[in-house]
């Protein structure tokens, strides 16, 4: 029994020790800001991912979509809340450029929400028919290993299984960029440049 316990403990510790983090910085060329850029691992061979039970939330507050960019895993249900004392609408003309995935959730008053489950990978530009100046973005990622850059373009993706992957970016203004990353230690450091 002692041998089994030791082997089980060693296997557990080895598995736990292998998960790593990816820390990085996105630099932009020809764009006004490196904030709100989605950075994600495009695939992990042999793995599929269940949608989270917990819903994500996109608010409409002070006549803005908050957050401006929301990244979710494919299959996630997003609750669209109206926190303003005015009617709001939410619609998107496509997801990832596919106009067949356009959808209009309708219009609803303050304090109410409507939900939608996003099963297609790609970006959806969120708009409001009532307030045409409003815009936000929802990016549906293929894996749960993603982050959104902060004001300085920094990001961190935690608990990534060991392996060699391709990191990709999506941003409102920039062209998609990709960078290979090897997660074999505790932290992999990556620099990515996004061009307009």
């Amino acid at each position: 029994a002692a041998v089994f316990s030791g082997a089980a403990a060693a296997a557990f510790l080895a598995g736990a020790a292998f998960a790593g983090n990816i820390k990085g910085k996105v630099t932009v060329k020809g764009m006004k800001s490196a904030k709100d850029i989605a950075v994600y691992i495009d695939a992990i061979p042999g793995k599929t991912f269940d949608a989270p039970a917990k819903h994500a939330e996109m608010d409409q507050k002070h006549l803005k979509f908050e957050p401006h960019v929301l990244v979710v895993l494919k299959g996630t249900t997003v609750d669209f809340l109206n926190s303003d004392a005015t009617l709001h609408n939410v619609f998107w003309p496509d997801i990832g450029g596919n106009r067949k995935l356009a959808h209009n959730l309708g219009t609803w008053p303050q304090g109410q929400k409507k939900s939608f489950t996003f099963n297609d990978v790609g970006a959806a530009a969120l708009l409001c028919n009532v307030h045409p100046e409003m815009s936000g973005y929802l990016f549906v990622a293929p894996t749960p290993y993603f982050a959104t850059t902060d004001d300085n373009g920094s990001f961190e993706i935690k608990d990534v299984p060991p392996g060699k992957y391709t990191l990709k970016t999506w941003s409102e203004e920039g062209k998609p960029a990709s960078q290979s990353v090897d997660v074999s230690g505790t932290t992999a450091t990556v620099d990515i440049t996004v061009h307009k």
Side-chain angles (χ1 to χ4, degrees):
V3 172
F4 175 77
S5 296
F12 173 77
L13 290 172
F18 277 62
N21 297 338
I22 301 170
K23 278 188 160 184
K25 186 169 175 87
V26 174
T27 304
V28 295
K29 301 283 186 187
M31 295 164 54
K32 58 186 174 220
S33 171
K35 183 181 180 185
D36 286 335
I37 294 175
V39 182
Y40 62 98
I41 293 176
D42 71 334
I44 295 189
K47 292 203 182 243
T48 56
F49 303 99
D50 294 331
K54 185 178 180 191
H55 292 193
E57 186 175 279
M58 173 64 80
D59 201 352
Q60 288 173 296
K61 196 173 185 178
H62 308 299
L63 299 181
K64 291 181 179 175
F65 284 97
E66 289 187 8
H68 183 65
V69 174
L70 177 65
V71 184
V72 299
L73 173 63
K74 177 182 174 180
T76 298
T77 298
V78 178
D79 296 334
F80 291 91
L81 177 66
N82 178 0
S83 291
D84 283 339
T86 182
L87 289 173
H88 275 312
N89 163 270
V90 176
F91 77 97
W92 49 93
D94 63 67
I95 297 176
N98 185 344
R99 293 190 180 277
K100 290 180 181 173
L101 301 176
H103 196 78
N104 190 327
L105 290 176
T107 304
W108 60 97
Q110 183 176 27
Q112 292 187 15
K113 68 181 175 185
K114 292 197 179 183
S115 302
F116 188 85
T117 302
F118 288 85
N119 290 314
D120 297 281
V121 172
L126 305 176
L127 302 165
C128 174
N129 274 328
V130 183
H131 305 94
E133 71 278 11
M134 289 178 63
S135 68
Y137 294 89
L138 189 126
F139 184 80
V140 184
T143 73
Y145 304 105
F146 57 76
T148 308
T149 55
D150 65 13
D151 292 347
N152 302 316
S154 298
F155 67 91
E156 183 174 12
I157 303 172
K158 294 184 175 182
D159 300 322
V160 179
K164 293 184 179 182
Y165 307 113
T166 301
L167 267 183
K168 292 190 174 180
T169 67
W170 173 88
S171 61
E172 180 178 354
E173 291 186 279
K175 294 176 183 153
S178 63
Q179 175 76 39
S180 59
V181 61
D182 183 355
V183 180
S184 55
T186 53
T187 302
T189 305
V190 179
D191 289 312
I192 304 173
T193 302
V194 173
H195 296 268
K196 183 165 185 172

